[in-house]
Amino acid sequence: IWILRDNDILHVEKVTMIDFKGAHYPSEVILYAVFFYVRYGVSYRDLEEIMAERGVSVDHATLNRWVVRYSPLIAEKAKKRQQPVAGSWRMDETYIKVKTYLYRAIDKYGNTVDFMLSKQRDEAAATAFFEQAIEDNGLPGKVVIDKSGANNAGLENINILLFLTGLFCFIDILQVKYLNNIVEQDHRFIKKITKPMMGFKAFHSASATLAGIETAHMIRKGQFINNLLPAHQQFMALAA
């Protein structure tokens, strides 16, 4: 059970636990390894040594499977449990070394709104990202972007959809580069973690790993109700 705030009304949502059935290690060990990888930017071989120093013998291939399997599941729960964000967003995309683009938005206070990995960097990808972000977080009053024509077109598409559905509350679009510096600076944390990973070999593994990295970053920012707990305990709590 988790208490969420939606439009200033508290409601109770039933939350199911992540299934660790078939795993040959305790869930606490798996979650600790996954958290360490997505939070501190180490290689899988380094993580293998770190786990061995803690008395856990596990090979780097198994560690990779854990990250790819469990990171997106935990990220999905994190999106449902994060505290509400402000209605003024900053949005930008950044290149990831697997020929993909990571679309990201934060609010005016620096809190993560949403993220999405895309093979394309175009109007369709921007529109899909905004649709996802709005579905997860509600309609923003304002979105600040850079001079990207594709991102602007994506927001215009959302405003058209709002008009066609009879909702006459449109998103204000501001294309002011210096106001978007906050999200560009926020990219640096993600890049810092991914750099030691030396790129990704496949889209699905990149998407899964980045979901875990974004979740760890949200914990670091204190975006969850239980933000007084140590970071790794907050990560583990998301699986319960």
Side-chain angles (χ1 to χ4, degrees):
I1 302 297
W2 195 270
I3 304 299
L4 299 174
R5 183 172 294 276
D6 183 15
N7 296 326
D8 295 325
I9 299 175
L10 288 178
H11 67 276
V12 178
E13 177 184 333
K14 186 176 181 180
V15 179
T16 57
M17 293 181 62
I18 290 176
D19 186 9
F20 290 92
K21 186 177 180 180
H24 299 293
Y25 292 79
S27 60
E28 293 82 1
V29 170
I30 295 172
L31 292 171
Y32 181 85
V34 173
F35 173 76
F36 204 101
Y37 185 75
V38 299
R39 173 61 182 86
Y40 296 107
V42 296
S43 70
Y44 281 115
R45 292 192 181 276
D46 286 341
L47 183 56
E48 182 179 340
E49 292 183 16
I50 291 168
M51 296 301 289
E53 289 174 358
R54 286 157 175 76
V56 179
S57 178
V58 55
D59 63 87
H60 60 277
T62 300
L63 292 168
N64 172 258
R65 287 195 295 271
W66 288 352
V67 170
V68 172
R69 178 177 180 182
Y70 295 109
S71 285
L73 298 177
I74 294 171
E76 183 180 350
K77 291 183 176 295
K79 286 186 177 184
K80 294 178 181 178
R81 298 181 182 185
Q82 72 181 90
Q83 298 187 70
V85 296
S88 178
W89 299 357
R90 277 79 172 130
M91 178 269 185
D92 190 31
E93 75 284 341
T94 186
Y95 180 74
I96 300 295
K97 290 183 179 179
V98 66
K99 296 183 179 179
T100 58
Y101 298 90
L102 180 61
Y103 283 79
R104 307 180 68 245
I106 63 175
D107 69 12
K108 63 181 180 180
Y109 302 114
N111 294 314
T112 299
V113 174
D114 215 328
F115 50 87
M116 184 191 81
L117 195 65
S118 173
K119 294 180 180 179
Q120 306 298 326
R121 185 190 190 189
D122 54 19
E123 178 181 335
T127 303
F129 172 73
F130 286 121
E131 288 177 339
Q132 173 184 296
I134 290 168
E135 181 178 354
D136 290 342
N137 299 277
L139 193 68
K142 176 174 66 177
V143 177
V144 179
I145 57 176
D146 58 16
K147 297 298 183 179
S148 167
N151 293 342
N152 183 69
L155 281 169
E156 292 288 4
N157 289 339
I158 297 297
N159 279 338
I160 291 171
L161 287 172
L162 292 171
F163 175 78
L164 293 176
T165 54
L167 297 174
F168 299 101
C169 48
F170 305 118
I171 301 171
D172 290 334
I173 305 170
L174 275 69
Q175 288 188 279
V176 184
K177 185 173 178 58
Y178 79 89
L179 289 177
N180 231 30
N181 287 343
I182 185 173
V183 68
E184 292 178 0
Q185 292 171 3
D186 201 67
H187 290 334
R188 294 178 184 175
F189 178 85
I190 307 301
K191 296 282 192 178
K192 177 184 176 181
I193 301 300
T194 58
K195 187 175 180 180
M197 298 175 181
M198 298 177 291
F200 299 97
K201 294 181 179 179
F203 180 85
H204 78 280
S205 62
S207 180
T209 305
L210 287 163
I213 293 171
E214 291 280 7
T215 301
H217 193 30
M218 292 166 68
I219 291 173
R220 179 173 173 266
K221 295 176 183 180
Q223 288 189 237
F224 300 100
I225 294 173
N226 57 351
N227 57 24
L228 296 180
L229 291 175
H232 74 280
Q233 290 184 17
Q234 291 186 54
F235 191 82
M236 290 180 180
L238 291 171

